[in-house]
């Protein structure tokens, strides 16, 4: 696990976004406030999205135009059961998405597509840092 400041986490995310292959599926795990959305926002910028990314907690899915195509950001936190993930139109997301970034993937169960890369973020003793693991 690497311990990163918010600035370092943002720089890491932008680097990841610039290097992602087309069609990447990234999963983000961790407790509330651990830095998942911060990392996703930075990856979205690295993918060439110029609009400010926001958390799709209530809408479940946000769509952005990246330099190579559609970038989808999903937040499954509000799903009560994995069966609710069936309504997320996975076929379209996978067909049209240059990148699919999914927070709280465990709440979508078997609906979550196979990951290109998984990240786990965590709180650590130093309140100015977050733990980041690439799984």
């Amino acid at each position: 696990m690497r311990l990163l400041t918010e600035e370092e986490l943002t720089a890491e995310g932008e680097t990841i976004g610039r290097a992602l292959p087309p069609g990447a599926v990234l999963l983000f795990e961790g407790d509330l406030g651990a830095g998942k959305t911060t990392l996703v926002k930075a990856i979205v910028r690295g993918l060439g999205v110029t609009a400010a990314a926001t958390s799709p907690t209530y809408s479940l899915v946000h769509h952005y135009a990246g330099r190579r195509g559609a970038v989808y950001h999903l937040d499954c936190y509000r799903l009560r059961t994995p069966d609710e993930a069936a309504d997320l139109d996975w076929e379209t997301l996978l067909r049209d998405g240059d990148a699919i970034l999914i927070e709280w993937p465990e709440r979508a169960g078997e609906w979550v597509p196979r990951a290109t890369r998984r990240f786990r973020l965590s709180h650590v003793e130093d309140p100015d840092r977050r733990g980041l693991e690439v799984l």
Side-chain angles (χ1 to χ4, degrees):
M1 176 178 19
R2 295 172 48 211
L3 302 181
L4 303 173
T5 64
E6 185 171 337
E7 182 178 283
E8 292 167 335
L9 185 62
T10 298
E12 178 79 10
E14 289 176 2
T15 298
I16 291 166
R18 285 190 296 274
L20 278 181
V25 176
L26 304 181
L27 308 182
F28 302 87
E29 304 168 2
D31 293 332
L32 285 171
K36 295 180 299 296
T37 301
T38 298
L39 182 58
V40 168
K41 288 178 179 184
I43 291 170
V44 166
R45 277 193 305 279
L47 286 162
V49 173
T50 56
T54 58
S55 178
T57 300
Y58 294 100
S59 61
L60 298 180
V61 180
H62 281 176
H63 169 253
Y64 302 103
R67 70 177 170 277
R68 296 184 307 213
V71 176
Y72 294 105
H73 177 196
L74 288 77
D75 186 332
C76 298
Y77 181 75
R78 296 249 177 245
L79 296 178
R80 291 180 302 250
T81 68
D83 290 339
E84 291 180 339
D87 296 331
L88 292 176
D89 194 9
W90 295 100
E91 185 177 312
T92 299
L93 298 174
L94 291 167
R95 182 187 64 231
D96 297 345
D98 175 44
I100 302 171
L101 311 154
I102 307 170
E103 295 185 54
W104 298 95
E106 64 277 11
R107 296 198 178 208
E110 63 185 46
W111 289 100
V112 173
R114 184 173 179 187
T116 304
R117 198 176 306 170
R118 287 179 42 220
F119 300 91
R120 180 174 297 133
L121 291 106
S122 57
H123 297 280
V124 294
E125 287 186 27
D126 182 344
D128 296 326
R129 296 187 184 275
R130 296 291 180 257
L132 174 65
E133 294 177 84
V134 179
L135 306 171

